[in-house]
């Protein structure tokens, strides 16, 4: 891994979106874009500054390192759990009758993503 200010990540994302990408590559690029957007959204939350710094550093390191294998980018974003804070605060006022099916759908979607990437796209080492 090298630090290239994200040029290879942008190049891989452009090639993925403008070419004839696979579903797995589109999902990976979507994950990277969502992480960057959630990073900016999380900066609006009222949490200690050191947690903001941690989240920003994790996202920047994940995005700005070389993308020789772009499918590793979502794995680098796993420590940035604080990216979910704005979404959690948005969903907090909802009733349990709405949250339980929503969590079920999100669980099925993330399970499908993991199984698709490992079994169908064969991205396992």
């Amino acid at each position: 891994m090298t630090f290239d200010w994200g040029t290879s990540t942008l190049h891989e994302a452009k090639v993925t979106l403008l070419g004839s990408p696979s579903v797995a590559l589109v999902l990976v690029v979507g994950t990277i874009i969502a992480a960057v957007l959630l990073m900016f959204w999380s900066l609006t939350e009222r949490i200690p500054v050191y947690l903001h710094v941690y989240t920003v550093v994790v996202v920047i390191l994940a995005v700005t390192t070389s993308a020789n294998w772009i499918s590793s980018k979502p794995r680098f974003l796993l420590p940035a759990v604080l990216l979910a804070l704005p979404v959690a605060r948005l969903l907090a006022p909802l009733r349990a009758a709405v949250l339980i099916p929503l969590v079920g759908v999100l669980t099925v979607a993330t399970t499908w993503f993991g199984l698709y990437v490992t079994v169908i796209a064969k991205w396992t080492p």
Side-chain angles (χ1 to χ4, degrees):
M1 299 292 304
T2 59
F3 188 76
D4 66 355
W5 295 101
T7 55
S8 62
T9 303
L10 287 173
H11 178 276
E12 290 292 325
K14 185 174 79 171
V15 167
T16 298
L17 295 176
L18 297 179
S20 57
S22 66
V23 173
L25 284 175
V26 171
L27 290 172
V28 167
V29 171
T31 302
I32 295 168
I33 292 169
V36 172
L37 293 176
L38 283 171
M39 178 193 67
F40 287 119
W41 189 12
S42 72
L43 292 175
T44 64
E45 295 294 321
R46 296 186 68 200
I47 59 175
V49 174
Y50 60 88
L51 295 176
H52 285 300
V53 171
Y54 170 78
T55 304
V56 169
V57 167
V58 169
V59 173
I60 287 174
L61 285 176
V63 173
T64 59
T65 54
S66 65
N68 297 332
W69 198 45
I70 194 160
S71 61
S72 64
K73 295 296 181 179
R75 179 175 48 107
F76 295 150
L77 292 167
L78 283 177
V81 294
L82 292 175
L83 291 176
L85 186 62
V87 177
R89 288 210 178 156
L90 183 70
L91 297 176
L94 297 178
R95 297 177 306 172
V98 175
L99 283 177
I100 291 171
L102 180 64
V103 168
V105 167
L106 291 175
T107 302
V108 168
T110 56
T111 302
W112 173 84
F113 175 73
L115 288 173
Y116 180 85
V117 166
T118 57
V119 176
I120 297 172
K122 293 183 176 38
W123 281 5
T124 56

